[in-house]
Amino acid sequence: MKLKMVRGKISRKLVSDSILNIIASSVPILFLQFIVLPIVGRQLGEQDYGLAVTIISLSTLFSLPFGSVLNNIRLLLNDEYQINKSIGDFNILLAASIIINSILMVVGTIYYEEHFSILNIIFVALFSCLNIIREYLIVSFRIIINYKAILINNLILAIGYLVGLVMFIVTGYWQLIFIFGASFSLLYIINKNNLINEKFAMTHLFKGTLYKSIILFFSVFMKTIITYADKLLLFPLIGPAAVSYYYSATIVGKFISMVTTPISGVLLSYLTKMERIRTRDFVAIITITTIVATFGYFIVILISEPILTLLYPKWADRSLELIYITTATALIGVISSIIQPFQLRFNDIKWQFIINLVNVLLYVICTILFYREYGLIGFCWAMLISSIVKLLMMIGLFILDNEKRNRLKLQS
């Protein structure tokens, strides 16, 4: 009886924290996708806006894996570090991530900008590195499962975006939007925790932490390639205008994806406290998620035309031609993001790498075949096919591995 009451309390807390985290994630995304970036698009025009979106994607391609990997590894290993009374390692990994990311941003900005400036390069590297620090330090709220603090932090992030938007209108530098947003957020996070002040030292756990971080980085990086490298590929293939059409076609679906993805973060926070999970519970979660995603698909299709016409009137018609495929891809990604924390917690971390490697290879093959034959819409079909195959691999692997592990535990 007591066990059922405890499970009930955990379930209610999990649901309430998931809702809090969805709201927290929605606020900056709403400001960015539906207020800030459309204003930037109108100010810059389709050519320069396409370039800006490409540079933002380049930054996210690297800063997101670096930051989120440190975040998740810290969350997964925090108990081990506390048991061993070890302090260190993570600031070394953070510093290494910032240095590598800065080099990549400098090279990438020079490559994509036809007439680059030193100030543009500095701004891009700066906001990208600030995002890495922010992504890592926010783990302090996840460790103690304080999603109210994450909500407050994201409200401050949105305020920073608005201040940056004003600065962009005044100066013409769109990068200031992200610099002010990340800076405002970091000021709040640093004021609430002391992770940044931890010793810059190696512990006896460093080798294992480094290994897990590298494996997870390449896994997350390959996943992020599928999400953000589309714009990086389209820019040299078709030009900046096509990037604008494609990006606009994905904003509603990706908004749904970005808003629901935080559920996976909440799930991982709770799964780290569990030793096992029943396969039927996993299947039930995936079934419910799939049903909700299916309803979500039709809602997104219905609302996309008025939203795109309002936000991007100059090229909305071109974007609407792609909406059916891009929305399906985004919602398949939602289901995959719900599965990922189960794999992180209960499967060997190498499977993250293997699944994402297969996904990237399939993505490249499909992109080459479909783009040559059908152009931009073929590119979108390649994204959808690779996403479906990845989802099926994730579900199949988890069920097979979980059944095997549970049988062994019962035998022992």
Side-chain angles (χ1 to χ4, degrees):
M1 187 69 179
K2 287 183 179 179
L3 182 60
K4 285 184 178 180
M5 288 176 66
V6 170
R7 282 181 177 174
K9 286 181 181 178
I10 291 173
S11 297
R12 287 194 294 274
K13 187 77 165 57
L14 177 60
V15 170
S16 64
D17 282 340
S18 295
I19 292 170
L20 262 180
N21 210 21
I22 287 172
I23 296 169
S25 297
S26 299
V27 173
I29 294 169
L30 272 170
F31 272 78
L32 199 59
Q33 300 290 341
F34 296 101
I35 298 174
V36 175
L37 288 180
I39 292 172
V40 173
R42 291 178 186 181
Q43 291 277 109
L44 295 180
E46 62 184 33
Q47 295 287 331
D48 287 339
Y49 183 61
L51 174 60
V53 167
T54 303
I55 297 295
I56 293 167
S57 297
L58 174 69
S59 169
T60 310
L61 178 63
F62 292 102
S63 65
L64 181 62
F66 278 126
S68 67
V69 164
L70 286 175
N71 185 302
N72 284 326
I73 292 293
R74 180 61 186 253
L75 182 64
L76 290 166
L77 299 182
N78 192 64
D79 287 347
E80 185 178 349
Y81 272 80
Q82 288 189 336
I83 290 168
N84 286 277
K85 296 181 180 178
S86 298
I87 299 174
D89 296 343
F90 287 95
N91 280 346
I92 294 175
L93 295 174
L94 179 63
S97 300
I98 290 169
I99 292 168
I100 295 168
N101 181 74
S102 298
I103 295 168
L104 292 168
M105 288 307 102
V106 170
V107 174
T109 305
I110 291 171
Y111 173 77
Y112 282 106
E113 287 196 355
E114 195 172 323
H115 305 290
F116 66 89
S117 72
I118 298 298
L119 195 56
N120 277 349
I121 293 171
I122 292 171
F123 280 163
V124 171
L126 178 60
F127 83 71
S128 187
C129 291
L130 287 172
N131 278 334
I132 292 176
I133 301 169
R134 178 184 172 275
E135 281 285 337
Y136 166 58
L137 293 182
I138 206 168
V139 74
S140 59
F141 301 139
R142 294 180 67 198
I143 289 170
I144 58 173
I145 314 183
N146 184 358
Y147 287 93
K148 287 181 182 177
I150 293 177
L151 174 59
I152 295 169
N153 170 69
N154 283 6
L155 286 168
I156 293 169
L157 174 65
I159 293 168
Y161 284 152
L162 286 178
V163 174
L165 179 62
V166 173
M167 295 303 296
F168 157 69
I169 293 169
V170 172
T171 65
Y173 288 101
W174 59 264
Q175 298 93 336
L176 293 174
I177 295 167
F178 298 93
I179 291 172
F180 275 90
S183 297
F184 276 41
S185 172
L186 271 174
L187 286 172
Y188 174 77
I189 297 170
I190 292 171
N191 187 50
K192 294 292 180 180
N193 75 78
N194 60 355
L195 288 187
I196 199 71
N197 297 322
E198 283 187 347
K199 287 192 299 185
F200 197 84
M202 287 187 189
T203 73
H204 68 284
L205 298 173
F206 180 78
K207 188 176 179 181
T209 301
L210 177 62
Y211 168 75
K212 289 176 181 176
S213 298
I214 291 171
I215 296 296
L216 189 57
F217 171 81
F218 282 108
S219 172
V220 175
F221 178 69
M222 285 184 286
K223 178 186 174 184
T224 313
I225 283 176
I226 304 298
T227 308
Y228 293 98
D230 44 10
K231 275 82 74 178
L232 303 178
L233 287 172
L234 286 174
F235 188 92
L237 287 173
I238 314 178
V243 175
S244 297
Y245 307 149
Y246 175 79
Y247 177 76
S248 303
T250 64
I251 62 164
V252 180
K254 280 194 175 178
F255 170 72
I256 303 295
S257 175
M258 288 175 178
V259 165
T260 53
T261 296
I263 296 174
S264 66
V266 178
L267 275 172
L268 185 58
S269 296
Y270 282 88
L271 289 173
T272 54
K273 315 297 181 186
M274 296 172 61
E275 292 301 319
R276 62 188 290 266
I277 186 169
R278 295 178 301 183
T279 301
R280 67 181 181 183
D281 291 337
F282 171 77
V283 172
I285 290 168
I286 299 309
T287 302
I288 294 167
T289 305
T290 303
I291 292 169
V292 173
T294 303
F295 279 108
Y297 176 82
F298 292 105
I299 292 170
V300 171
I301 296 302
L302 284 172
I303 65 174
S304 287
E305 184 172 357
I307 289 176
L308 288 182
T309 303
L310 174 66
L311 298 180
Y312 298 101
K314 292 181 181 178
W315 58 82
D317 289 343
R318 299 292 298 274
S319 298
L320 287 168
E321 294 172 5
L322 313 171
I323 204 76
Y324 296 95
I325 310 170
T326 57
T327 300
T329 304
L331 293 176
I332 292 292
V334 168
I335 303 171
S336 296
S337 72
I338 298 298
I339 298 171
Q340 188 181 26
F342 290 92
Q343 288 196 314
L344 277 172
R345 177 64 184 92
F346 297 109
N347 293 143
D348 192 309
I349 203 164
K350 70 180 180 183
W351 289 112
Q352 290 279 316
F353 177 79
I354 292 169
I355 288 173
N356 284 304
L357 177 61
V358 172
N359 188 37
V360 168
L361 292 174
L362 182 62
Y363 166 71
V364 171
I365 293 167
C366 289
T367 298
I368 293 169
L369 294 175
F370 284 80
Y371 173 76
R372 283 181 178 177
E373 192 68 28
Y374 304 106
L376 185 54
I377 199 163
F379 184 90
C380 295
W381 275 111
M383 293 280 292
L384 178 58
I385 291 168
S386 62
S387 297
I388 292 171
V389 172
K390 178 186 176 182
L391 174 63
L392 295 175
M393 286 175 62
M394 291 176 77
I395 293 172
L397 171 68
F398 183 84
I399 291 174
L400 290 172
D401 194 53
N402 199 54
E403 284 292 289
K404 180 182 176 182
R405 184 171 52 253
N406 287 343
R407 279 197 303 271
L408 289 172
K409 284 187 177 180
L410 286 172
Q411 290 170 5
S412 61

